[in-house]
Amino acid sequence: MRATGFAAVCTALLLLGGCAGEEKPVVNDAAQLASAAAAGTQKARSSKIALETTAEDGRKVVVTSSGLYEGPNSKFSMVAEVAGEKRDLIFADGVLYYHLSDTQVQEFKTDKEWVKITPDGKDSLSAANGALLTNVVETMDPTRTIDRISKSGKVTKSEQTDVDGTAATRYALDLGGAPAELWLDGEQRPVRVTLGKTTVKYDSWASDVVIIAPPPEAVGDSR
């Protein structure tokens, strides 16, 4: 009984940090997997991100970002390249901000550097990119992926592997009928996530990241 009790306690500790000298266990329960990934993400709190996807209209999207993970208050500083055109964006306080190019400043006849992008906005920028860029933010936020795993995920397969030289455990998942894959490193932090046509990579965990929304006086109307 004592040995069994110790094994159970050690397994729980391994999910959240590890027993010295023991390898990380493979988690086959989606709730435990989500809990372990959430603990690893919350402990590190920040990372660098690289996302690649293809929009429904066929446009290729590549995003490089810094992320600060604070649950519903997560923030991102991004450079998004959509069909070869680069755009600087900030997601903070639940709002997606788009940095206008010099040409766009003249086009919109404004002296503001930034505008807000909304998924259902009627302005030209939101209509063209709002839904796409909002989906990008949601997809690269690991806390949202972890939440989906905890609510509707099922682990269908797991294996030890590596991602770009980093030892990791790969989990094949069923997220309510949508297939996905999640790779966690030895600290239970996401290394890679694939969701449909989208691949997200995470590195430089616990890096120094500061993300601040543009000041109100610098934000204009894109209409």
Side-chain angles (χ1 to χ4, degrees):
M1 292 294 292
R2 289 183 180 179
T4 302
F6 174 79
V9 171
C10 192
T11 298
L13 290 175
L14 281 165
L15 294 176
L16 301 175
C19 289
E22 298 287 343
E23 294 183 357
K24 302 287 183 181
V26 173
V27 183
N28 292 312
D29 177 79
Q32 290 182 352
L33 175 61
S35 178
T41 299
Q42 291 168 3
K43 182 178 179 180
R45 196 168 174 261
S46 64
S47 76
K48 305 297 183 182
I49 311 164
L51 175 147
E52 292 189 12
T53 191
T54 301
E56 292 184 1
D57 57 10
R59 290 181 294 173
K60 182 179 180 180
V61 181
V62 178
V63 179
T64 55
S65 174
S66 296
L68 185 61
Y69 312 122
E70 299 176 336
N73 298 315
S74 293
K75 301 176 182 179
F76 302 90
S77 177
M78 300 171 279
V79 176
E81 184 176 341
V82 182
E85 181 182 347
K86 290 187 177 181
R87 298 144 182 186
D88 293 327
L89 302 110
I90 291 176
F91 180 80
D93 306 322
V95 179
L96 182 59
Y97 299 93
Y98 178 108
H99 189 260
L100 296 173
S101 66
D102 292 341
T103 300
Q104 289 169 327
V105 167
Q106 296 177 3
E107 177 185 345
F108 297 126
K109 299 179 180 178
T110 180
D111 59 352
K112 308 297 185 181
E113 294 184 51
W114 297 86
V115 293
K116 296 178 182 179
I117 296 286
T118 57
D120 55 355
K122 303 305 180 183
D123 61 276
S124 59
L125 288 177
S126 291
N129 301 293
L132 170 62
L133 294 175
T134 299
N135 183 62
V136 164
V137 171
E138 293 179 350
T139 302
M140 71 183 179
D141 184 349
T143 63
R144 297 184 189 233
T145 300
I146 292 166
D147 185 57
R148 287 184 64 184
I149 293 172
S150 67
K151 290 180 178 179
S152 60
K154 293 181 181 179
V155 178
T156 60
K157 183 180 179 181
S158 60
E159 63 179 347
Q160 299 295 331
T161 183
D162 72 84
V163 178
D164 299 328
T166 298
T169 304
R170 170 186 169 272
Y171 296 93
L173 301 162
D174 179 349
L175 301 183
E181 293 176 286
L182 170 66
W183 287 257
L184 297 182
D185 67 11
E187 299 298 323
Q188 305 297 338
R189 303 170 301 195
V191 178
R192 180 188 292 170
V193 176
T194 61
L195 297 165
K197 297 179 180 179
T198 303
T199 298
V200 190
K201 295 182 180 180
Y202 302 90
D203 61 24
S204 302
W205 281 97
S207 53
D208 187 12
V209 174
V210 178
I211 300 171
I212 302 174
E217 61 270 20
V219 181
D221 191 337
S222 64
R223 289 175 294 180

